[in-house]
């Protein structure tokens, strides 16, 4: 009897003992929702050092009111300039989260695709790898599974994934005909789920306004439409893509480029305040903000990007959430890549995307190391 009791006690002790060699079990994730935001073509230079003195003019920057723009965005130090441009990023995210990509501090982040323009960059962000077949911005359905679709296939995320894009190519990047989750892009009305009176008005504005470009509306329309959808339909995973910064840069309008970056930052602040005001999302949501590509580094080529422009592969990433430590901007960090974002989205939710898609980049562990 005594021998049997000893064996039973040993089995119970073994089942409850600490992991071998002193390894502590990983703490459970507190993140239950993820919002991923892409700001098309916003350079790391402006994000980390603010307005560029070489572009605050008519010759290189196409600035209409130089003194007015300088009054809004020029300050004597890079730290003051970047805070004037993106106050939410620097007063909230930098104090409570993490930022990567300030190459002046040795923090390197880059894309893995060789093209350095939008469709390859958007897809790398949500696929986790570069597919050589994706080599243009043509409206061709993405043949690959994205982390959004992969999550949506799981019962706990079914009907809880959504994508909102200003650019009319976004439905092809997520392969709307196959993915199964809600996708809204360009001038399309939101007509699924709960449609509030505010959303109905936004639908009308998309159709009833004159827009500068034929690919989609201004970022503000896109943002408020996505925010209203979030408030009424409560997705657990949301991908949102802004487009104006890239367009104004291509048009050599540095004033509009900076103004849009400032408005995008204000949208991020409003988004975070909205998330923190709703019980489902408060202290349960990780926010990730990044870009699809960089731009040229000089006053001559800052408007452009692509394989032939040095610097167009340089990107950045910001993270804020309950599992993200308050480390601020990371100096001299190990180089990370845009291809790691997809697995990081999944890992924030406790899911192993790279285990299912081995060619995807590994999660950025530091983002979830609190």
């Amino acid at each position: 009897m005594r021998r049997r009791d000893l064996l039973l006690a040993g089995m119970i002790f073994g089942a409850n003992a600490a992991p071998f060699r002193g390894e502590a079990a990983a703490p459970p994730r507190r993140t239950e929702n993820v919002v991923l935001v892409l700001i098309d073509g916003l350079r790391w230079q402006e994000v980390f050092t603010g307005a560029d003195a070489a572009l605050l003019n008519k010759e290189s920057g196409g600035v209409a009111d130089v003194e007015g723009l300088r009054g809004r965005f020029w300050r004597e130090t890079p730290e003051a300039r970047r805070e004037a441009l993106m106050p939410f990023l620097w007063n909230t995210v930098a104090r409570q989260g993490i930022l990567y990509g300030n190459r002046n501090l040795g923090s390197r982040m880059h894309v893995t695709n060789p093209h350095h323009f939008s469709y390859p960059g958007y897809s790398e962000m949500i696929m986790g790898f570069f597919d050589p077949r994706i080599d243009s911005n043509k409206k061709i359905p993405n043949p690959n599974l994205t982390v959004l679709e992969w999550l949506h296939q799981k019962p706990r995320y079914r009907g809880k994934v959504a994508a909102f894009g200003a650019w009319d190519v976004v439905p092809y990047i997520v392969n709307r005909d196959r993915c199964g989750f809600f996708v809204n892009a360009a001038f399309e009305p939101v007509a699924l789920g709960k449609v509030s009176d505010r959303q109905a008005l936004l639908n009308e504005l998309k159709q009833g306004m004159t827009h500068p470009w034929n690919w989609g509306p201004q970022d503000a329309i896109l943002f408020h439409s996505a925010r209203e959808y979030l408030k009424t339909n409560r997705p657990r995973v949301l991908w949102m893509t802004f487009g104006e910064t890239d367009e104004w840069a291509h048009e050599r309008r540095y004033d509009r480029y900076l103004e849009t970056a400032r408005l995008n930052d204000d949208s991020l602040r409003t988004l975070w305040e909205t998330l923190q005001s709703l019980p489902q999302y408060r202290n349960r949501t990780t926010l990730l903000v990044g870009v699809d590509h960089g731009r040229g580094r000089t006053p001559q080529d800052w408007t452009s990007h692509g394989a032939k422009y040095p610097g167009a592969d340089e990107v950045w990433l910001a993270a804020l959430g309950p599992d993200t430590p308050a480390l601020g901007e990371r100096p001299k960090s190990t180089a990370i890549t845009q291809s790691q974002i997809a697995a990081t989205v999944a890992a924030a939710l406790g899911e192993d995307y790279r285990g299912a898609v081995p060619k995807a980049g590994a999660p950025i562990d530091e983002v979830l190391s609190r």
Side-chain angles (χ1 to χ4, degrees):
M1 179 71 69
R2 238 184 324 229
R3 183 177 180 185
R4 187 187 67 182
D5 290 344
L6 287 170
L7 287 171
L8 181 60
M11 292 171 65
I12 294 172
F13 175 79
N16 291 280
F20 187 52
R21 288 175 296 172
E23 296 176 359
R29 291 270 181 263
R30 287 178 285 178
T31 298
E32 297 177 8
N33 317 278
V34 175
V35 178
L36 175 63
V37 178
L38 182 154
I39 304 177
D40 200 314
L42 179 58
R43 300 194 307 176
W44 70 266
Q45 288 92 331
E46 280 77 25
V47 171
F48 290 97
T49 65
D52 187 336
L55 301 177
L56 290 173
N57 54 62
K58 186 172 180 61
E59 294 71 30
S60 299
V63 177
D65 180 2
V66 175
E67 290 307 311
L69 193 69
R70 287 181 66 87
R72 290 190 63 195
F73 297 116
W74 182 254
R75 305 291 186 272
E76 291 304 315
T77 67
E79 293 76 15
R81 290 196 298 273
R82 70 192 187 185
E83 186 175 331
L85 181 65
M86 305 189 79
F88 172 75
L89 199 69
W90 291 104
N91 291 326
T92 300
V93 180
R95 295 178 182 179
Q96 301 176 23
I98 294 179
L99 293 100
Y100 297 97
N102 187 350
R103 289 176 174 255
N104 294 331
L105 298 181
S107 179
R108 294 168 294 133
M109 184 176 181
H110 58 88
V111 300
T112 63
N113 74 81
H115 302 300
H116 312 165
F117 56 79
S118 292
Y119 194 147
Y122 280 55
S123 63
E124 183 181 330
M125 174 182 277
I126 57 173
M127 284 164 33
F129 60 92
F130 162 61
D131 182 344
R133 294 173 293 180
I134 297 175
D135 59 2
S136 76
N137 283 338
K138 293 179 180 178
K139 294 178 179 178
I140 298 172
N142 192 338
N144 303 285
L145 195 74
T146 69
V147 69
L148 306 175
E149 185 174 353
W150 182 79
L151 287 168
H152 190 256
Q153 290 177 350
K154 296 179 178 297
R156 55 186 166 274
Y157 304 106
R158 176 69 61 176
K160 296 295 182 180
V161 179
F164 276 74
W167 192 26
D168 61 1
V169 181
V170 166
Y172 299 86
I173 298 172
V174 298
N175 199 330
R176 176 161 58 186
D177 291 341
R178 186 197 63 212
C179 71
F181 57 81
F182 180 67
V183 182
N184 180 269
F187 306 109
E188 300 168 350
V190 175
L192 181 72
K194 298 177 183 178
V195 178
S196 66
D197 291 343
R198 182 180 173 86
Q199 189 72 269
L201 175 60
L202 290 163
N203 288 341
E204 291 181 20
L205 290 175
K206 285 184 182 181
Q207 300 294 322
M209 292 177 61
T210 298
H211 300 285
W213 309 286
N214 60 8
W215 49 258
Q218 291 93 330
D219 287 345
I221 297 291
L222 172 280
F223 168 70
H224 286 288
S225 187
R227 175 174 173 259
E228 194 65 17
Y229 179 88
L230 179 144
K231 288 167 60 180
T232 55
N233 293 282
R234 309 296 173 91
R236 292 189 59 190
V237 182
L238 175 65
W239 188 40
M240 188 187 313
T241 74
F242 295 138
E244 280 195 63
T245 42
D246 188 62
E247 199 65 42
W248 290 123
H250 284 308
E251 295 186 16
R252 195 176 289 275
R253 287 298 305 271
Y254 196 61
D255 46 0
R256 296 292 177 86
Y257 170 84
L258 291 182
E259 289 160 2
T260 300
R262 177 64 182 82
L263 290 170
N264 287 162
D265 179 82
D266 196 56
S267 292
L268 294 175
R269 176 190 58 79
T270 301
L271 172 63
W272 187 248
E273 290 174 353
T274 300
L275 293 168
Q276 292 298 90
S277 72
L278 300 171
Q280 175 184 328
Y281 299 105
R282 184 187 308 122
N283 300 326
R284 299 177 181 181
T285 304
T286 290
L287 173 66
L288 299 169
V289 184
V291 291
D292 51 333
H293 56 72
R295 316 195 76 80
R297 301 180 183 129
T298 72
Q300 291 72 41
D301 63 16
W302 76 274
T303 65
S304 304
H305 56 87
K308 68 178 183 178
Y309 293 98
D313 65 319
E314 299 167 354
V315 293
W316 56 274
L317 180 70
L320 177 65
D323 299 305
T324 302
L327 298 176
E329 55 180 330
R330 306 302 290 136
K332 298 181 180 178
S333 61
T334 301
I336 60 176
T337 65
Q338 188 181 56
S339 65
Q340 295 180 257
I341 295 175
T344 304
V345 168
L349 296 165
E351 305 288 350
D352 184 10
Y353 178 66
R354 199 186 192 201
V357 185
K359 56 187 173 181
I364 307 169
D365 292 334
E366 188 177 54
V367 167
L368 306 170
S369 64
R370 175 176 285 181

